[in-house]
Every structure is written in structure tokens, then in C-alpha cells.
Amino acid sequence: MSDSAIHAIAGAAGGIVAMTATYPLIFISTRAAVETKNEQKSTYQAALDIIKREGILGLYSGLNSSLLGIAITNGVYYYFYERSREAILRSRSGSKALSTVESMLTGMVAGSATTLISNPIWVVQTSQAVRTMGSDRQPPVSGKLGFLETVQSILAKDGIGAFWRGIGPALVLVINPIIQYTAFEQLKNFLIQRRTAKLRAAGAAATAVAVLSDLDFFFLGAFSKLIATSATYPYIVVKSRLQAGSANALKYKSSMDGLLTILKEEGVEGLYKGIGSKVVQSVLTAAILFAGQRRIYEITKAAIIPVSKT
């Protein structure tokens, strides 16, 4: 099995763990992003309202499609990211660390491929998450739909093209993981270089290189995701509304038109609805993912290598 495939498996597994742990926050931020009323609620109050109306399991509506989505998204992303990274490193000699431009190029290739492949799943997840809150297209309903039932419902109502609703802002949001992984790579390189210099200054061999811990990866993942999510959140709002099939959102002529329309009708606050729970969720998910993916990658590789030698 190739190194890229192992990275893909580890990324998918790490994503499932992270998504399961933080899903209620995704659910709350998705609903807040889709809501067009100027209603201010804390994450805590929003959670209480959902539990009161739909029970504790209401916070997990759409979890099944999210787990499928994150497994495919992370698997595809890590696969293309590592393949692109390997291709760049093979094409030149010298440092094995990616430069800022190389990190951005690698992230763009991986992010674009991932978005095109996974968008239908996120349309299903968003539809499941907002189904019981009602919308400008339909009143609230009490019954929840499973993954396949939601797929059939979207097909019957809007046709197969509906699965690529929001693809415009979703492609713009490729910049989110680009920012995230670029920040992560550069912070990681800086930390390794700094610790390696201290290690060698303390008397270690000239070839000694510092090794980062799981905790280092946890905090590097958290900080890089905080930077990326804060910078791109308004596009997340536009994407969520389009994927939910909001009638107002479907009138947006482009991602930029969506941003301007929200700004005009709802003010600056409208562009950042649900950002509190989203930032907390994104940071926790990225932290768990970066730490977990690294550990799962090492365990998987250690398990596969002996098998391949027999």
C-alpha cells in the first residue's frame, strides 16, 4: 500500500473520530448560518432549544451523512495532498519541507478534488440538519429522514443538479484548508527548526532533528484551523444556505452577490451567524484530527509493513 493511501485511511479515521466528538456544534452552527432572522442566541441557548423540541438526539440529526462525508472528504484530501506533496518534493532537491507557495499549491489541488467529489454528501447533511427547523421553502416537520430518504427527497424535489448546490462558494472555500495546511506546515517547520537548533546547541549530534509530540500536533492543528475558519466564515454562511436549498439563497447570482445581499439585508452580523459554535467545533475537530491522523498513520503503517514482508 502506498504512503498516500495510508495517509488517506488515517485521515478518514481521524476525521470520523473528530466529527463524532464535535457534531452537536456543527449542527448548531449550520442552523444558525441558514437562519435569516435577526435572532441572537448563545450556543448554550440554541442547544437547549433543540433538546427541548427534538430531544438530545436532535443534536445529532445528519450525523450519519456527516460521518460518511468527513471520511470521504478527509480520505480524498489527504490522498491528493500527499500525492501532490510527493510530486513536488521529487521534482526538486534540497529541503524536504514545503515552502509557503508549494503548500498553497498542494492544498489547492487537494481541496478542489475533494470539494467536487464530496459536495453531494454535504448537501444531504445540511438538508438533514435544517429539516425540522423549517425554511422559507417549507414549514417545520417533525419526522427525520435517513441518508437515502433525504437523497430521494432532494432528487424528487430538485433533481440531480441539487447535489451541487453551493459548489461556487464551496470551491472558494478551498482557500480554507489552503490557509489551514499552509499555516500548519509553516508553524510545524518553524517549531522543528527552533527545537532542533536548541537540541544541537545542547550537545546533540549534528544530524539530530527534533520530533514533535501528539500535543504539539494538537495545538498546531487547533491554531491553524482557527486562522482559516475566522478568515473564511462568511463564505461558509453562503454555502450552508445554498446547500440547504433556501429560496433566498438560490437567488444569489454568485458567491460575492450572496455576501453583499446578506450584508444589505442582515448587516455584518448576518455574515457571522453561528461563528461561535463553528470556531469551537472547527478548532477542536482540527486539533483531534491532526493529532489522531498522525497516530493512526503510524499504527497503520507499522501494521502493514510486516504483512507486506511476509
Side-chain angles (χ1 to χ4, degrees):
M1 185 180 290
S2 71
D3 211 45
S4 299
I6 299 174
H7 273 290
I9 292 170
I16 288 172
V17 173
M19 176 68 75
T20 303
T22 63
Y23 187 76
L25 291 169
I26 297 173
F27 180 80
I28 291 169
S29 66
T30 297
R31 285 200 167 191
V34 172
E35 180 60 72
T36 57
K37 297 175 186 175
N38 286 317
E39 192 175 22
Q40 300 296 326
K41 285 185 184 179
S42 66
T43 300
Y44 177 72
Q45 186 58 53
L48 286 181
D49 287 349
I50 292 167
I51 292 171
K52 184 177 178 181
R53 289 196 312 269
E54 304 170 39
I56 191 72
L57 292 179
L59 292 171
Y60 291 88
S61 293
L63 176 61
N64 55 351
S65 52
S66 285
L67 292 179
L68 176 62
I70 200 67
I72 291 175
T73 296
N74 282 7
V76 172
Y77 192 91
Y78 273 101
Y79 180 79
F80 278 95
Y81 186 87
E82 291 300 324
R83 293 284 289 189
S84 301
R85 183 174 181 275
E86 289 169 8
I88 288 173
L89 293 178
R90 280 199 306 268
S91 69
R92 62 168 172 77
S93 57
S95 173
K96 293 301 180 182
L98 295 179
S99 67
T100 300
V101 173
E102 289 170 338
S103 293
M104 292 177 71
L105 178 61
T106 302
M108 187 176 297
V109 171
S112 298
T114 303
T115 297
L116 291 170
I117 292 169
S118 67
N119 198 75
I121 298 172
W122 296 118
V123 168
V124 173
Q125 184 273 328
T126 305
S127 298
Q128 287 181 303
V130 303
R131 175 176 165 77
T132 55
M133 72 179 283
S135 68
D136 44 19
R137 302 186 77 195
Q138 62 181 35
V141 292
S142 56
K144 295 180 175 66
L145 294 181
F147 181 82
L148 291 179
E149 292 172 317
T150 304
V151 169
Q152 291 170 347
S153 175
I154 293 171
L155 277 172
K157 218 179 333 182
D158 301 312
I160 196 167
F163 290 108
W164 278 271
R165 286 192 302 232
I167 193 67
L171 284 170
V172 172
L173 282 167
V174 167
I175 197 173
N176 184 297
I178 290 175
I179 294 171
Q180 177 189 353
Y181 281 82
T182 299
F184 177 82
E185 284 284 344
Q186 301 314 308
L187 289 169
K188 182 185 74 173
N189 294 341
F190 171 76
L191 196 57
I192 290 174
Q193 289 170 4
R194 186 175 178 181
R195 289 188 181 174
T196 297
K198 286 184 177 180
L199 197 64
R200 293 175 182 176
T207 55
V209 178
V211 177
L212 300 185
S213 67
D214 288 345
L215 193 61
D216 290 325
F217 277 87
F218 184 91
F219 283 111
L220 286 173
F223 188 62
S224 60
K225 190 62 177 179
L226 175 62
I227 295 170
T229 299
S230 300
T232 60
Y233 191 75
Y235 277 98
I236 294 175
V237 171
V238 175
K239 177 176 72 75
S240 295
R241 292 186 180 188
L242 285 167
Q243 289 181 336
S246 168
N248 288 335
L250 293 176
K251 294 176 183 176
Y252 299 160
K253 297 174 183 176
S254 64
S255 299
M256 183 57 68
D257 181 59
L259 294 177
L260 294 174
T261 300
I262 294 171
L263 191 62
K264 180 181 177 182
E265 296 178 355
E266 302 168 47
V268 175
E269 298 85 0
L271 295 174
Y272 291 92
K273 283 184 175 177
I275 191 171
S277 53
K278 181 62 178 178
V279 165
V280 173
Q281 177 270 322
S282 295
V283 168
L284 283 176
T285 298
I288 295 168
L289 172 61
F290 275 95
Q293 192 270 345
R294 173 176 172 266
R295 181 59 60 201
I296 294 168
Y297 167 78
E298 291 173 350
I299 293 170
T300 304
K301 191 166 185 177
I304 288 174
I305 290 175
V307 173
S308 64
K309 289 181 178 179
T310 59

